[in-house]
Amino acid sequence: MNKKVTAAITAVGGYVPEYRLTNFELEKMVDTNDEWIRTRTGISERRIQKGDGLATSDMVVPAVKELLEKRGIDAMEIDLMIVATVTPDMVFPATANIACDKLGAKNAWGFDLAAACSGFLFALTTGASFIESGRYKKVVVVGADKMSAIIDYTDRNTCVLFGDGAGAVLLEPNYDGYGVQDSILRTDGSGASFLHMKAGGSLRPATAETVANKEHYAFQEGQSVFKFAVKGMADVSAELLERNNLTGDDIAWLVPHQANKRIIDATANRMGLSPEKVMLNIERYGNTTAATIPLCLWEWKKQLNKGDLIVLAAFGGGFTWGATLVKWEY
Ligand code: UT7
């Protein structure tokens, strides 16, 4: 009898740029202070990609290289690469194509997926489906964003929140039930006005006026997003546990999108999880959009054990949100 194929995470890689933009440095740039940022968000510093000619793909490449080295495979073995990002190198071609070229992944096809802060979860579920169907054996799922490229460093509402980084996982077929178990994913386009970039798309192509009006930067109505995020991320995580007949006690780790420590606390609380079971790196990296969840996995890898049940949860621009249950494989 053929066993069911599941998509197991078999390697993790990550990359954050060297440069640390601290709260104290931001104090010199906008009317803010370290205390406000730490108590309202949980962030102390974030990494920024500096240097001419560098883009999101230049963070994807080292993250994927690390993953390939850890798994002991060559880039030529990758079948498919999905890059979740809202800061692609260019509108087209896709950052996945550019990264595959830089990596020498000549047998892979790939595409970008835009779902803002939920991008990694959406890409993980998409990548897992290609494994579960039996079609592919090695799918690389990346979450990567160079948020500094779309942040207005005179706007204190956004510039204190975001940072740059990339995280990647390798998905491979598993016949013992490890890997992605279940996902609940949601979108609600009526939330678009609360978190978006006003210009640069087909609705408002770039003009001298859009540049002068600063319409190519991320705009966020923080308080409104906060309210939807607390409810959305907590509801969907609780629903995922319930439909899998699980409680907080069964979960080894919550791996939450790192937008605001207060949103993360509310989600953990709703799931009945103690704070020691929550992966957190917001303090050091801020909100790296699609990269937050894989960067957590990358940093916590040593504390993950085979068989651990973990819940990945996110909320972000779109609105988009979701939660994914994973049984850790290695
Ligand atoms: O990852 C994508 C999804 N995004 C999110 O999940 C983000 C959700 N939103 C948030 O995390 C929070 O709303 C923020 C961190 C963005 C803002 O925190 P808040 O507690 O909602 O603050 P607020 O916007 O209600 O502002 C409170 C006060 C205001 O002053 P007044 O009107 O009370 O005098 C703001 O002007 O804080 C002021 N403020 C600041 N003060 C110092 C806003 N930004 C700053 C700042 N430094 N950077």
Side-chain angles (χ1 to χ4, degrees), residues 31-33 36-37 40-41 117 156-157 160-162 195 220 222-223 225-226 229 257 259-260 262-263 287 315-317:
D31 180 15
T32 191
N33 60 78
W36 189 97
I37 303 172
R40 295 281 177 142
T41 70
C117 301
R156 72 174 184 176
N157 291 311
V160 303
L161 303 174
F162 294 97
L195 179 48
Q220 177 171 243
Q223 242 185 41
V225 178
F226 185 89
H257 171 54
N260 189 313
R262 292 181 288 149
I263 300 171
N287 182 349
F315 187 96

Side-chain angles (χ1 to χ4, degrees), residues 15-21 25 29 46-55 58-59 146 148 153 164:
Y15 174 83
V16 286
E18 287 288 307
Y19 188 82
R20 292 161 196 261
L21 176 59
E25 200 178 335
M29 296 158 67
R46 55 302 280 143
R47 301 298 183 97
I48 303 294
Q49 188 185 43
K50 297 259 185 186
D52 288 340
L54 293 177
D58 298 296
M59 298 190 288
K146 178 179 179 169
S148 61
Y153 285 94
D164 303 339

Side-chain angles (χ1 to χ4, degrees), residues 12 18 54 59 63 70 74 101 124 141 144 152 161 188-189 212 221 241 243 248 265-266 282 294 296 318:
V12 184
E18 287 288 307
L54 293 177
M59 298 190 288
K70 282 185 178 163
D74 189 86
D101 179 51
L124 184 66
V141 176
D152 174 5
L161 303 174
D188 178 0
E221 243 180 77
L241 289 190
R243 87 171 185 193
D265 291 345
I282 188 169
C296 277

Side-chain angles (χ1 to χ4, degrees), residues 1-327:
M1 195 179 80
N2 281 341
K3 275 191 170 179
K4 191 179 165 217
V5 185
T6 50
I9 295 174
T10 56
V12 184
Y15 174 83
V16 286
E18 287 288 307
Y19 188 82
R20 292 161 196 261
L21 176 59
T22 64
N23 290 353
F24 298 104
E25 200 178 335
L26 282 164
E27 283 180 2
K28 295 178 205 146
M29 296 158 67
V30 289
D31 180 15
T32 191
N33 60 78
D34 174 59
E35 216 253 321
W36 189 97
I37 303 172
R38 274 190 298 102
T39 52
R40 295 281 177 142
T41 70
I43 303 168
S44 290
E45 59 182 44
R46 55 302 280 143
R47 301 298 183 97
I48 303 294
Q49 188 185 43
K50 297 259 185 186
D52 288 340
L54 293 177
T56 298
S57 67
D58 298 296
M59 298 190 288
V60 173
V61 168
V64 175
K65 270 190 181 159
E66 184 186 321
L67 165 160
L68 295 173
E69 267 164 35
K70 282 185 178 163
R71 185 71 183 90
I73 60 170
D74 189 86
M76 293 290 276
E77 293 184 51
I78 302 173
D79 298 313
L80 163 64
M81 184 187 295
I82 308 174
V83 177
T85 187
V86 286
T87 51
D89 289 22
M90 307 173 188
V91 173
F92 72 91
T95 303
N97 298 22
I98 297 167
C100 280
D101 179 51
K102 288 179 177 173
L103 284 158
K106 291 189 187 304
N107 293 316
W109 68 287
F111 57 92
D112 291 358
L113 188 154
C117 301
S118 311
F120 182 76
L121 286 195
F122 285 24
L124 184 66
T125 302
T126 307
S129 306
F130 280 104
I131 297 279
E132 289 155 5
S133 72
R135 183 97 192 236
Y136 298 113
K137 301 277 181 255
K138 289 190 172 49
V139 174
V140 173
V141 176
V142 188
D145 272 299
K146 178 179 179 169
M147 293 305 290
S148 61
I150 59 164
I151 292 300
D152 174 5
Y153 285 94
T154 65
D155 175 12
R156 72 174 184 176
N157 291 311
T158 49
C159 75
V160 303
L161 303 174
F162 294 97
D164 303 339
V169 301
L170 177 66
L171 295 176
E172 293 185 80
N174 186 277
Y175 303 93
D176 297 312
Y178 291 93
V180 177
Q181 308 288 303
D182 193 13
S183 274
I184 301 175
L185 304 175
R186 305 237 191 271
T187 55
D188 178 0
S190 69
S193 61
F194 299 114
L195 179 48
H196 65 287
M197 194 196 286
K198 294 185 190 304
S202 56
L203 177 66
R204 248 176 108 59
T207 61
E209 191 194 351
T210 62
V211 173
N213 290 343
K214 300 186 168 188
E215 292 177 40
H216 296 273
Y217 292 125
F219 166 86
Q220 177 171 243
E221 243 180 77
Q223 242 185 41
S224 310
V225 178
F226 185 89
K227 282 180 204 147
F228 283 104
V230 166
K231 185 164 165 26
M233 211 159 114
D235 278 358
V236 89
S237 304
E239 189 185 336
L240 186 73
L241 289 190
E242 207 175 300
R243 87 171 185 193
N244 285 278
N245 297 316
L246 298 167
T247 69
D249 292 342
D250 302 307
I251 302 302
W253 292 98
L254 169 64
V255 194
H257 171 54
Q258 314 273 312
N260 189 313
K261 173 83 165 50
R262 292 181 288 149
I263 300 171
I264 295 171
D265 291 345
T267 303
N269 197 27
R270 180 77 182 282
M271 293 170 70
L273 279 186
S274 55
E276 312 85 67
K277 287 183 169 183
V278 180
M279 292 189 191
L280 274 179
N281 60 17
I282 188 169
E283 193 189 354
R284 286 170 293 121
Y285 302 148
N287 182 349
T288 54
T289 303
T292 61
I293 291 176
L295 281 176
C296 277
L297 293 174
W298 175 58
E299 291 202 316
W300 261 260
K301 169 61 204 80
K302 285 205 170 73
Q303 292 180 63
L304 284 164
N305 297 307
K306 189 166 180 166
D308 278 354
L309 283 175
I310 63 175
V311 170
L312 286 46
F315 187 96
F319 292 132
T320 57
W321 68 105
T324 298
L325 179 69
V326 173
K327 189 172 178 186

